[in-house]
Each structure stands twice: as structure tokens, then as C-alpha cells.
Amino acid sequence: MFLILKMLVLFLLSYIALNLYLFWKRRQYRHIASFPIPISLKWFMGHLPNLRMRINQAPEENFMQIVGEYQKESGEETVVLALFTMNLVLTLDLRIIPKLLTDRITFHKREILKQTLGWCGKTRAFGNHGLLSDPGGDVWAAKRRIMDPAFTRSFLRTTMDGMNKVAERLVKVLNTKAECGQAFDISEFLDRAAFEAISFCGFNWSEEMAAEHGDAALKMARVMVQLTAVVFKNPLSFKNPWGRLPEKEQFKNAVQPIRDLSRKHLEKIGDKAVTENNVLSHIIRGNDCSDDLTMEDVIDDYNVFLVAGMETTSITMACAVWFISMNPHVYQKAQAEVKDVFGDRDQICFEDVQKLVYIEMIIKESLRLKGPAVGTTRQCQSHGTSINGVSFPKGTKFNVPYFNLHVDSRYWKDPEVFDPERFSPASMKNIVPYTYMPFSTGPRNCIGKNFAILEMKVILANIFRKFVVVNATPQETDLMMLGNITIRPKNGVNVRIFTK
Ligand code: HEM
């Protein structure tokens, strides 16, 4: 009896101590707007039950979109959510965002990205220092310095043969679709083209290698973005070593073959790889920046560039095709530009791509409305940090939902309307800084941005030159997106195409 009483008192004291600790933690954010937390025995959970409910109600939404909803509802520029012991600050404040995104010493990416993309259970995907998910310490900085030149103009110029080849292969397959005249999902073919662009032009894969391993690489990319989203939403159940998530096994089965293949590829090309001038040679040199990095770290970045390089561009191209198919006047203008630039030729050179100004405007507008990367995260590394008079304790976690900024009516006229003219050279100067960031900005921006734009312009220009694309489901006036770590068209992009 006495023992039970003792246990009860201990439990009560622990409960009080936990609540006092949480009360102290939450007080540190009392100067930031928040939502009321219901007074109940579960007060210590904060907004977590409500967030869980929203995640369950919207299983197809990305985490960033779900928390972005809080932002909209609050009507505040900056709002804090109390999630058990964690406080998550959501901000759209243009006086705070520049500092968050440009000061890489004070603000790293959140560790959760490394925990989900780096390792899924015991399966290594991007590891501890993969360029995308490394929070951003000295190793990341040294690597990025070495890898940045991978995407200079002189390298991009050398990719043109590869880019033309990818476009040619795509046109060939699409011709068969045009001949049969049936509706089909073009995004599958764009996935393949995006994969070929990064593997041919970035990693010197041969056509045979792509034919043999392309499906496995595409599967890895898809599984990684889907499953890491599951982990992102359930970090606790995933970290639990006894947790039997079926996703862990699926993840392993998808990632392991590509790691093995990258290892074999690296062994086969040996020292030759370093002397070349492509993405892979920069990855190898980048991983020489510290003695602590091994061959496994090179493989991490091999996977980072494969996955980051194909998912994003293929999604963007699919959305651009959908917008084009719904906006015939835009399509006509794009086709006129392409005709002008190509003339009678089948291939274009690097200088020609710079002339595809309108196609680039279409890509930029598609990225504004349906950009695959919907936001970013940061975590404060220093005590006494204050931005524009607002103080943030060390460890503060931030989410910046780009998605909300891209359709904010304070910065965009008729934000829901697809209008490439917003990005005409004359209109670009009207865009408010930090309201358009599909490739992020600052030191953690997208390293592959110029590669992506070049690739998308070459591929889209070839589609528009050869085919008339007609939407097969015009009654669907919006393109439904499915939220993983990135967002992608939920039901693909169903079209019919006709040869011109
Ligand atoms: C439309 C295409 C693309 C979009 C919209 C896009 C978007 C982004 C965004 C928003 C980030 C920052 C992510 C964050 O803050 O967590 C990022 C980072 C990154 N992207 Fe891209 N990306 C695209 C294409 C590519 C391509 C083609 C490559 C590779 C060839 C690539 C490689 C990377 C890498 C390695 C990083 C991490 C950079 C670092 O943190 O140092 N991306 N991308």
C-alpha cells in the first residue's frame, strides 16, 4: 500500500515537473502569436493533438502545407505551435525570412531532415552529410564550395549533346502515343526523361546502363520521397526501434540496389571519374574535403543528386504541360517561339536555349503555382538571437512555407491565375524579394537550379515543337497535388497528343 502511494506521489511530482518545464519553455515564446491551448489534463501536449487530427484528415497533404494552414488561419506573419516539448515557429515575415535563409552560421536546416532522408531505420540513404539533408556545419560548407562549380556555364554547355539526346528519345516514345491517339499520363515519360538527363549528363551513364537500371533508380526516388514524408509526419513511431513500420522494409528494398549500383559504378570508373568535368567528379572531389568522409559518403551524394535531380524537374515539367494544355493562348505563343528558335534544325545549342525566353516564363509560373518544393526549415544555433527586434531562443525551429508566399495576394495580383507574363523581363523587377523562392535562396539554395532550367527548357521546347497537347480531363479545372516530401500531380497529367 505504502509502495503504491509512493509511486503515485512520484508520478504526480513528475507530472508537475513536466508541466512546469513545458510552461517555462512555452513562456520563452510568449511574445509570438499562438493559438489557444485547451486547458485539460493533456495541456502538456500543446497543439500536437490538433496537428495529428489535421494530418489524419489530410493524409494527402505535405507537412509544410498542413502547418501552412495554421499560418493562414492565424492571419499573423509569425505564429508559434507548441508541440509537446517542441515549439515550431511558422513565418512569412519578410523582415525575418532573409536572415533565416542567408545566415547559415546562426541558422542550420533542421536535424529532422537528416533523420528522415539520411537514415531510414538502419538503412542509409543520404547519410549524415548528404548535401541536401546535412544541417549545414563545416563539412557541408566545405563540400558545397567544391561542388558549386559543377554547374557553371562551361559545364552546362557540355551537357547539350546529352540533353538533345534525352529530348530525342522522349519525342520518339511520344510519337507512338500520338499514333494511337489514346489518352495517357505524360508524367511517367517525363520521369524517365528527367532521370536520363541527370544520369547521362551528370553521371556519364551509358544508354545500356540506363535501360538496365532506370526502373530501379526511378523506384528509389519515388519510394524515398513517399516514405520520408510518412516518417516526417510520424517521427516518434519511426524512431522507435521496436516499431514495426512496413515502410522501413520497403525503404530498404528500394534504396539498397541503387547504393550497390552506385558503388559498382564508382569502382568501375575508378580514378578516371575525378579527372572528368561532370557532377560526379565534383561529388568525389567534394567528399575529399574531410578525412572523415568515406566512399559511403560519396554514394550518399550520388543518391542525393539522382533523387533531387529527377523528381523535381519531372514534376515541374508535368505541371507546365498541364497548364499549357489548359491555356491554348499560352501554348500558341510558346510554339511560335520554339519555331523561331529551332528553324529547320532538330537540335538546339546552348545559345539557342537562352533565346527560349517565353518557355522559361512558363516554367517559372508553373513553379510559382505548383512548385515541387513547398518550403524549408531552419533551426537557431545561437543564444540571444534576435531578428528585427523579435528574439528567438537557441534551438528554435522554423518552417518557412514558400507555398503560401507564392499565392499571397499582397504580393501577387490574382494569385490563382496562371499568367507567365508575371515573369517577363520587364515584370520581373516588380517581384517583391523573398516572395518567390521555388529553388530556395541564400547559401542553401538549389545547387542544380541552372541545370534544371536548361533541362526543362530543352525537353519542353521539343514537346511543343513536335506535338499538339490536348488535356484529356478538361473538366478538372485544378491540378490535384499529392503531398510527399515534395508535391506531385495526384492523378498524373492525362493528355492526348497529336503530331503537328
Ligand atoms: C525544378 C527543379 C528543382 C527545384 C524546384 C528544386 C528545388 C530545390 C530547393 C527548394 C532546394 C532547397 C531545399 C531545402 O531548403 O531543404 C533544393 C536544394 C537542392 N537541390 Fe534542387 N531543385 C530542382 C532541381 C535540382 C536538380 C536538377 C538538382 C541536381 C542536379 C538538384 C539538387 C539539389 C541539391 C543537391 C540541393 C541541396 C543543396 C544544399 O543544401 O547545399 N535540384 N532544390
Side-chain angles (χ1 to χ4, degrees):
M1 181 67 186
F2 183 64
L3 189 69
I4 294 178
L5 206 65
K6 239 165 103 178
M7 300 245 313
L8 262 176
V9 171
L10 206 66
F11 175 77
L12 204 67
L13 285 177
S14 315
Y15 181 76
I16 292 170
L18 173 69
N19 277 282
L20 284 175
Y21 169 71
L22 291 174
F23 184 69
W24 168 75
K25 271 209 95 173
R26 287 174 196 171
R27 258 180 76 82
Q28 295 179 316
Y29 294 87
R30 67 184 182 281
H31 54 295
I32 299 174
S34 187
F35 293 90
I37 300 173
I39 309 265
S40 75
L41 273 177
K42 280 193 180 170
W43 174 88
F44 62 88
M45 299 293 273
H47 302 109
L48 201 57
N50 186 270
L51 178 62
R52 280 255 137 260
M53 188 187 75
R54 290 178 185 225
I55 289 177
N56 293 337
Q57 279 172 352
E60 297 192 335
E61 286 208 349
N62 164 297
F63 183 79
M64 196 69 77
Q65 290 170 300
I66 293 171
V67 292
E69 286 300 318
Y70 282 104
Q71 182 93 50
K72 279 193 214 149
E73 284 164 30
S74 72
E76 301 280 347
E77 294 278 318
T78 301
V79 63
V80 65
L81 291 183
L83 306 172
F84 190 36
T85 56
M86 180 177 118
N87 290 284
L88 180 63
V89 174
L90 314 168
T91 186
L92 293 180
D93 191 333
L94 297 188
R95 292 159 302 180
I96 292 179
I97 289 176
K99 176 87 173 156
L100 284 184
L101 299 187
T102 54
D103 179 350
R104 77 150 192 94
I105 306 287
T106 314
F107 298 102
H108 285 183
K109 276 191 182 176
R110 281 182 55 199
E111 287 276 334
I112 188 160
L113 210 62
K114 182 170 94 181
Q115 288 157 4
T116 49
L117 287 166
W119 294 82
C120 203
K122 288 197 178 120
T123 306
R124 180 172 183 158
F126 294 169
N128 290 338
H129 292 295
L131 198 68
L132 178 68
S133 45
D134 184 324
D138 292 343
V139 172
W140 170 83
K143 252 206 232 182
R144 173 87 195 218
R145 236 189 332 272
I146 300 170
M147 287 186 191
D148 260 332
F151 295 100
T152 53
R153 275 176 81 86
S154 63
F155 163 68
L156 292 178
R157 196 183 288 275
T158 67
T159 66
M160 283 309 295
D161 278 350
M163 295 288 184
N164 276 306
K165 182 164 80 179
V166 171
E168 211 174 277
R169 287 162 64 91
L170 175 68
V171 165
K172 216 164 157 185
V173 190
L174 292 184
N175 263 326
T176 60
K177 291 287 169 192
E179 275 161 23
C180 76
Q182 280 174 354
F184 68 102
D185 175 10
I186 197 168
S187 62
E188 285 176 29
F189 298 92
L190 294 170
D191 280 349
R192 173 66 65 163
F195 153 70
E196 289 183 353
I198 182 68
S199 61
F200 291 175
C201 306
F203 292 94
N204 261 354
W205 277 34
S206 62
E207 285 183 48
E208 295 71 43
M209 208 172 151
E212 195 178 337
H213 303 289
D215 288 341
L218 283 161
K219 182 174 166 207
M220 173 190 75
R222 188 58 41 79
V223 168
M224 274 197 73
V225 294
Q226 278 170 359
L227 296 188
T228 45
V230 175
V231 184
F232 214 82
K233 288 179 185 170
N234 301 284
L236 288 179
S237 58
F238 196 80
K239 271 195 208 163
N240 170 5
W242 295 280
R244 288 195 302 125
L245 276 185
E247 285 85 0
K248 283 187 190 175
E249 204 52 32
Q250 277 171 269
F251 193 88
K252 187 172 162 195
N253 293 340
V255 172
Q256 209 55 56
I258 296 301
R259 286 196 77 88
D260 295 343
L261 175 68
S262 330
R263 193 173 298 107
K264 268 196 214 132
H265 186 210
L266 286 162
E267 280 162 8
K268 188 170 157 210
I269 45 180
D271 294 343
K272 207 174 110 219
V274 197
T275 54
E276 289 178 350
N277 178 25
N278 58 26
V279 176
L280 186 52
S281 61
H282 282 85
I283 289 177
I284 297 171
R285 273 178 242 152
N287 277 280
D288 258 351
C289 72
S290 156
D291 289 343
D292 295 338
L293 302 179
T294 65
M295 175 70 133
E296 290 306 306
D297 294 280
V298 177
I299 294 170
D300 293 341
D301 277 321
Y302 198 121
N303 286 3
V304 166
F305 281 83
L306 260 190
V307 175
M310 58 182 159
E311 271 291 299
T312 47
T313 46
S314 101
I315 295 168
T316 307
M317 289 190 287
C319 294
V321 168
W322 186 83
F323 280 120
I324 280 286
S325 71
M326 295 297 275
N327 293 277
H329 62 289
V330 174
Y331 202 0
Q332 274 165 15
K333 216 168 155 183
Q335 285 182 315
E337 179 179 84
V338 170
K339 195 169 167 203
D340 226 33
V341 171
F342 273 82
D344 300 330
R345 290 165 305 145
D346 269 338
Q347 300 212 331
I348 45 173
C349 64
F350 189 69
E351 280 65 34
D352 291 330
V353 182
Q354 317 313 312
K355 295 181 199 150
L356 295 169
V357 178
Y358 193 63
I359 304 251
E360 188 163 332
M361 286 159 58
I362 293 172
I363 292 170
K364 286 181 171 157
E365 178 66 341
S366 302
L367 280 168
R368 182 182 70 83
L369 284 169
K370 304 283 178 191
V374 284
T376 194
T377 68
R378 290 294 182 270
Q379 183 159 353
C380 180
Q381 304 299 310
S382 322
H383 287 292
T385 303
S386 153
I387 314 177
N388 198 44
V390 185
S391 62
F392 296 104
K394 183 177 178 186
T396 300
K397 297 173 174 72
F398 295 88
N399 270 25
V400 183
Y402 298 150
F403 187 72
N404 292 10
L405 283 167
H406 288 181
V407 291
D408 191 323
S409 56
R410 290 173 298 171
Y411 311 123
W412 305 94
K413 188 166 171 271
D414 301 327
E416 306 301 334
V417 174
F418 177 77
D419 179 11
E421 298 301 331
R422 301 175 201 275
F423 295 98
S424 71
S427 310
M428 285 281 281
K429 60 177 183 310
N430 300 329
I431 297 175
V432 178
Y434 295 95
T435 59
Y436 179 69
M437 297 182 282
F439 292 99
S440 192
T441 195
R444 296 305 302 256
N445 73 344
C446 176
I447 193 172
K449 174 183 169 188
N450 293 337
F451 182 93
I453 300 241
L454 177 75
E455 168 193 334
M456 295 188 289
K457 283 169 87 173
V458 174
I459 293 176
L460 289 174
N462 272 282
I463 299 178
F464 301 160
R465 187 168 77 102
K466 292 277 182 182
F467 305 104
V468 175
V469 181
V470 177
N471 196 307
T473 50
Q475 68 282 6
E476 288 167 20
T477 51
D478 192 14
L479 182 62
M480 297 295 290
M481 304 298 278
L482 179 66
N484 294 315
I485 280 288
T486 50
I487 55 168
R488 66 177 294 126
K490 184 180 164 199
N491 303 315
V493 170
N494 295 299
V495 293
R496 278 194 182 80
I497 56 173
F498 304 96
T499 322
K500 281 177 42 185

